[in-house]
Amino acid sequence: MSSPTPSSARSQIYWPSVVTVLSAAILIGAEVFGAAFAGGWALAILFDLGDTGAHVMQAALFVLGVIIMAYFIRNARRIEPFSR
């Protein structure tokens, strides 16, 4: 059996990586969610869905955007670890 790691060897937050990932997430999030709302509006007009249809399309694309952002953050944390 191996002994537990001493408390002095705990990992610490590496702030440059955290700031990098959060900055990229803000930039990409603005693009993804802007595209979701504009795309929902455009698709509703294209298919003549009306106001309610536009809101439904925007909500569906917004949920897709949340999934994309969660995937991005998860992969970004793997590439830029938050702790060292």
Side-chain angles (χ1 to χ4, degrees):
M1 297 296 218
S2 62
S3 62
T5 310
S7 62
S8 63
R10 270 193 232 170
S11 60
Q12 293 184 351
I13 295 175
Y14 187 64
W15 288 106
S17 289
V18 174
V19 170
T20 300
V21 170
L22 289 178
S23 298
I26 290 169
L27 175 65
I28 294 169
E31 294 173 6
V32 167
F33 296 122
F37 286 116
W41 173 75
L43 289 172
I45 290 175
L46 179 66
F47 296 118
D48 196 25
L49 300 175
D51 287 340
T52 304
H55 293 302
V56 169
M57 290 297 292
Q58 288 172 339
L61 292 175
F62 180 83
V63 169
L64 181 63
V66 169
I67 293 168
I68 290 170
M69 288 307 300
Y71 182 75
F72 170 77
I73 297 283
R74 188 180 70 212
N75 285 327
R77 285 191 65 193
R78 190 170 13 136
I79 294 168
E80 291 280 339
F82 285 180
S83 60
R84 293 198 176 168

